[in-house]
Amino acid sequence: MSKINNALYEIEKLDDTAKKKGWLNEINPTIKLFVTILYITLVVSFEKYDILKLLAMALYPLVIFSLGDVSFKDAMHRLRFVLPFVAIIGIFNPIFDRETATIIHGIHISAGWISFINLVVKGFLTVFATYFLVATTTFEKICYSLRKIHIPKIIVTQILLMYRYIFVFVSEVKKITLAYSLRAPNQKGVHFKAWGSLVGNLLIHTFDRAQNLYDSMCLRGYDGDFPIQAYNKVNYRDILFLIILSGCFICFRIFPIFEIVGHLIQMIMGKIR
């Protein structure tokens, strides 16, 4: 029961976070969706050994955590089950790619370790970028943005219905597990012999509830499409947000920012001496 309550609480808390007022939350949702897609595309496009240029893309989440209303602690807590899987994806790279790529202070570092770190950094950055979008934009606004970029309405409708039905599904699971625990008060968890019947009851309840919801929607004039509310229009602040971030992302992708900054620092230090 506690796990189900915690899951429902986390979903509701994330939705409440997206509804808060803040400069990042008030940016036009279509602009934020485009910036997120551009960022993820550019992050994924880096070469597997080009880790130094990739690290420049980490400035985006650092700035968001510093200037936005997004909590780093909450982000790590909510993504605690996702981030380990990101690290597992490239765990075999050091085993199969043992060719020495560089030597640092006499330590031979293989290309497999570099590609592994590169893959982990890419995974973390893309996950954080997606989290920023969800944590600062309600799901209805995201669906509105998907419609604005001409995603088929049937796909958007399915996504919106799936999200809204999560709460109904979790509520039904909560009722069934509560009824089971009241009939077996001294038992921890659900006995495996009861799994089949509980899942069957949950499936029946799900179909019944879905039919009732569909009938209610039809009575209220549902015709296969949801009239999604139009949100704030694009203003100068949204355009500035788009131009600055897009320009920075493209520059980070094309130019080795850290190397340029390092050379400038060396030149300045040389002139001072």
Side-chain angles (χ1 to χ4, degrees), residues 105-122:
H105 298 291
I107 301 175
H108 293 257
I109 300 177
S110 67
W113 279 110
I114 295 178
S115 62
F116 168 69
I117 296 173
N118 185 291
L119 188 60
V120 170
V121 173
K122 284 183 179 180

Side-chain angles (χ1 to χ4, degrees), residues 38-48 122 253:
L38 177 64
Y39 179 80
I40 293 175
T41 303
L42 293 178
V43 166
V44 174
S45 68
F46 278 89
E47 299 291 337
K48 63 178 181 178
K122 284 183 179 180
R253 179 63 184 88

Side-chain angles (χ1 to χ4, degrees), residues 4 27 30 46 55 62 70 76 80 98 111 136 145-146 162 172 191-192 198 212 214 217 232 240 252 264:
I4 297 175
I27 296 293
T30 308
F46 278 89
L55 289 177
L62 291 177
V70 183
M76 294 300 296
R80 63 190 184 277
R98 298 182 179 181
T136 60
S145 302
L146 293 174
M162 287 174 59
E172 291 296 328
H191 196 274
F192 73 92
L198 287 182
N212 292 334
Y214 178 73
M217 289 160 53
N232 53 311
L240 191 63
F252 293 161
L264 290 176

Side-chain angles (χ1 to χ4, degrees), residues 60-268:
Y60 172 62
L62 291 177
V63 170
I64 296 298
F65 280 128
S66 301
L67 301 181
D69 297 327
V70 183
S71 171
F72 177 77
K73 181 179 178 182
D74 292 341
M76 294 300 296
H77 176 71
R78 290 167 181 163
L79 300 174
R80 63 190 184 277
F81 298 116
V82 179
L83 296 179
F85 285 101
V86 174
I88 292 174
I89 293 175
I91 195 66
F92 294 106
N93 286 24
I95 299 175
F96 295 107
D97 193 356
R98 298 182 179 181
E99 182 180 355
T100 300
T102 184
I103 301 176
I104 301 178
H105 298 291
I107 301 175
H108 293 257
I109 300 177
S110 67
W113 279 110
I114 295 178
S115 62
F116 168 69
I117 296 173
N118 185 291
L119 188 60
V120 170
V121 173
K122 284 183 179 180
F124 274 55
L125 294 180
T126 53
V127 169
F128 278 129
T130 306
Y131 175 78
F132 294 149
L133 177 65
V134 176
T136 60
T137 314
T138 61
F139 209 80
E140 287 76 13
K141 289 183 178 180
I142 295 176
C143 291
Y144 163 77
S145 302
L146 293 174
R147 289 292 303 275
K148 291 291 288 184
I149 61 176
H150 302 291
I151 299 297
K153 67 178 182 179
I154 186 171
I155 296 178
V156 178
T157 300
Q158 288 297 322
I159 294 174
L160 184 60
L161 285 175
M162 287 174 59
Y163 175 76
R164 291 182 175 179
Y165 198 73
I166 288 175
F167 299 96
V168 179
F169 178 76
V170 173
S171 177
E172 291 296 328
V173 173
K174 182 178 178 181
K175 290 178 182 179
I176 290 177
T177 52
L178 176 61
Y180 180 86
S181 62
L182 292 175
R183 288 168 174 79
N186 297 325
Q187 183 176 314
K188 293 183 179 180
V190 180
H191 196 274
F192 73 92
K193 292 183 178 179
W195 289 357
S197 59
L198 287 182
V199 172
N201 287 328
L202 178 62
L203 186 61
I204 293 173
H205 281 291
T206 301
F207 282 135
D208 290 340
R209 190 67 179 271
Q211 186 62 47
N212 292 334
L213 288 173
Y214 178 73
D215 292 340
S216 300
M217 289 160 53
C218 291
L219 291 173
R220 289 169 173 79
Y222 175 71
D223 58 352
D225 187 19
F226 280 101
I228 300 178
Q229 176 186 357
Y231 294 95
N232 53 311
K233 296 182 179 180
V234 177
N235 53 34
Y236 72 94
R237 182 183 58 182
D238 302 324
I239 296 175
L240 191 63
F241 179 84
L242 174 64
I243 293 175
I244 292 176
L245 288 184
S246 300
C248 289
F249 295 161
I250 294 173
C251 288
F252 293 161
R253 179 63 184 88
I254 297 175
F255 304 106
I257 302 298
F258 286 161
E259 293 182 13
I260 296 174
V261 173
H263 289 313
L264 290 176
I265 293 175
Q266 288 179 357
M267 291 173 59
I268 295 173

